[in-house]
Amino acid sequence: MRCILPFISMTTAQRGSGVLTKSNIPHKIVEIESNLTRRGCAYGIEIAPLYADAAERALKRARIRYGDIISL
Amino acid sequence: MKKRLIYFDNAATTFPKPDAVYRAADNYQRNSCGNASRGSHSLALAAAEAVYRTREELAELFSASPESIAFTMNTTYALNFAIKAMTHHGDHILISDMEHNSVLRPVHQAAMRLGATYDIFRSSGTTEDILNDIERKRGKNTRLLICTHQSNIIPRILPIEEISEYCREHGIYMIADCAQSAGSIPLNMSRCKIDAVCVPGHKGLYGCQGCGAIIFGDVAAEELKTTIEGGSGSESIPLVMPEHLPDRFEAGTLPSPAIASLAYGIRFVREKGIDNIRAHETRICEYIINRFCENDDINVYNDTPGSTLLFNINGKTSSEIASTFDEFGICLRAGLHCAPLAHRTLGTFPSGAVRASFGAFNTMSEAERFCDAADRITKRKTLS
């Protein structure tokens, strides 16, 4: 199983990626399939479910907004 | 033997660039040239990373967030995007008397197309004089003020932080044209109330030609009108551009090689120190002004030494002067410098003047050679 944290833009996903790197959370930036979003192309950060809570905490601390986690 | 060129046209574009900038542009095109924010394969992500690195460098330099930075082709595009985003039908606009055509022309177009009106406020005197003049010119429908941070023909600096406070108090959007000041005068976006700062990559930030940026302040992006619409790499279903920054103002493929190499230009500036670069340019200018003051045939128009020097030589047109200096291997810019309004303000319109503009790579010995050439040119004129 994989989790994807969706972001409003590639730039915000990249900022989020920087925060997760500093927090030693393994992740990668991915393009989200457009049928999973209501507005078309989008980017997200894929993480293992094990890291989901830590990732959310780190992003919230950095005040980086993201959408509802997509589980695949 | 070929004469070593003296490049004193750094206000048009800085030259040379730091070696790291040339290497980065080359490396990007050979190894990372996917399309940034267009897919997630390895080359697209490498491109996006390179672009983001520059966003971070710019964000750090201006104390802004990476998302607030929208890349454009140059400062003129940035100013056009910002001005058109913030101008509405019937608005009154204020601009300073030192504006470049990259401000004057879009404002004039807004007047023609949107029935906007505009007035010009003074840039000379104390901050209080300037703010008083803005207050005198402000109308009840004044919605936008655009102001150069530093003129492109003389090193006159406007108090944009104080002007931004005034604008915020009166509900006026403010745009700063930082074409000449970016990399030369520090600006902290978190401390001022400017809504959009427009910068070039290829001048004081020492990047390649081909990119500029708008650094947005605390604005509601969704209220800003777009000028160019198209693919944004995100939110592709709606018929309008995304509401969020930077995608709202980044339609189409970015000039990524220029953007990627700009990171290394900004690093160069930060390593050298903005204040050190400015002090170096000012010392060169000061030396030249002192030498020119000894020559009765040369008129200098600067209020103060800085990164640019504006002058004329009695009995010669500005293009004759620049082309004579070119024979000595010295690159200068003559005429109105795309700033007829500023030349009117200084009393050098319509004939214009000659501009020498300095950069981090110029040396005092070049300044000496320049002054020696000026002495020879003025003596030649006296003899002829």
Side-chain angles (χ1 to χ4, degrees), chain A residues 8 12 14-15 31 39 41 43, chain B residues 39 48 52 67 235-237:
Chain A
I8 201 162
T12 306
Q14 288 174 304
R15 194 151 71 88
E31 196 170 9
R39 300 177 73 83
C41 306
Y43 289 89
Chain B
Y52 186 70
E67 285 103 324
E235 297 197 353
S236 47
I237 292 174

Side-chain angles (χ1 to χ4, degrees), chain A residues 7-16 18 22 28-32 34 37-43 63-65, chain B residues 37-40 44-45 48-50 52 55 65-67 233-238 240 242-247 250:
Chain A
F7 292 86
I8 201 162
S9 67
M10 168 62 99
T11 307
T12 306
Q14 288 174 304
R15 194 151 71 88
K22 278 186 192 150
K28 67 174 182 178
I29 293 179
V30 294
E31 196 170 9
I32 301 176
S34 38
T37 71
R38 277 169 300 173
R39 300 177 73 83
C41 306
Y43 289 89
R63 296 183 181 174
I64 297 174
R65 288 169 57 194
Chain B
S37 300
R38 304 294 191 276
S40 57
L45 286 180
E49 258 175 55
Y52 186 70
R55 275 193 220 283
S65 78
E67 285 103 324
S234 65
E235 297 197 353
S236 47
I237 292 174
V240 293
E243 291 186 345
H244 59 266
L245 293 173
D247 300 19
E250 287 185 350

Side-chain angles (χ1 to χ4, degrees), chain B residues 210-258:
Chain B
C211 82
I214 314 175
I215 305 162
F216 285 100
D218 186 17
V219 287
E222 67 279 8
E223 290 174 12
L224 303 176
K225 290 181 290 175
T226 54
T227 304
I228 303 284
E229 293 82 22
S232 55
S234 65
E235 297 197 353
S236 47
I237 292 174
L239 290 171
V240 293
M241 290 298 284
E243 291 186 345
H244 59 266
L245 293 173
D247 300 19
R248 186 162 180 79
F249 290 95
E250 287 185 350
T253 298
L254 291 171
S256 302

Side-chain angles (χ1 to χ4, degrees), chain B residues 71-267:
Chain B
F71 287 113
T72 60
M73 303 300 159
N74 51 46
T75 319
T76 297
Y77 272 71
L79 284 162
N80 269 268
F81 286 169
I83 291 168
K84 286 162 185 166
M86 296 180 190
T87 306
H88 298 88
H89 193 82
D91 282 354
H92 178 247
I93 303 169
L94 287 169
I95 62 172
S96 90
D97 61 13
M98 291 303 284
E99 295 310 313
H100 188 274
N101 273 348
S102 55
V103 168
L104 183 61
R105 284 181 171 164
V107 166
H108 184 73
Q109 276 301 306
M112 306 283 285
R113 289 184 185 158
L114 292 173
T117 54
Y118 64 96
D119 275 300
I120 296 166
F121 65 87
R122 66 184 284 182
S123 61
S124 57
T126 63
T127 299
E128 197 182 349
D129 294 335
I130 295 167
L131 290 175
N132 284 340
D133 197 42
I134 291 173
E135 175 62 20
R136 268 192 295 276
K137 307 274 166 62
R138 180 171 65 90
K140 60 175 189 276
N141 58 336
T142 305
R143 297 278 175 271
L144 175 63
L145 182 147
I146 311 144
C147 177
T148 186
H149 194 185
Q150 180 184 295
S151 158
N152 69 317
I153 59 170
I154 56 166
R156 181 176 293 175
I157 298 165
L158 277 88
I160 55 171
E161 292 190 20
E162 290 85 349
I163 294 173
S164 76
E165 296 284 345
Y166 174 93
C167 287
R168 187 58 62 91
E169 269 171 40
H170 293 86
I172 298 170
Y173 277 128
M174 179 176 170
I175 300 169
D177 172 6
C178 294
Q180 298 301 327
S181 63
S184 174
I185 307 172
L187 180 64
N188 185 328
M189 288 293 281
S190 67
R191 272 208 326 249
C192 64
K193 307 282 195 299
I194 303 173
D195 296 296
V197 164
C198 299
V199 303
H202 66 104
K203 295 189 179 185
L205 298 177
Y206 290 87
C208 300
Q209 293 174 17
C211 82
I214 314 175
I215 305 162
F216 285 100
D218 186 17
V219 287
E222 67 279 8
E223 290 174 12
L224 303 176
K225 290 181 290 175
T226 54
T227 304
I228 303 284
E229 293 82 22
S232 55
S234 65
E235 297 197 353
S236 47
I237 292 174
L239 290 171
V240 293
M241 290 298 284
E243 291 186 345
H244 59 266
L245 293 173
D247 300 19
R248 186 162 180 79
F249 290 95
E250 287 185 350
T253 298
L254 291 171
S256 302
I259 294 171
S261 55
L262 174 57
Y264 296 84
I266 298 169
R267 266 181 218 171

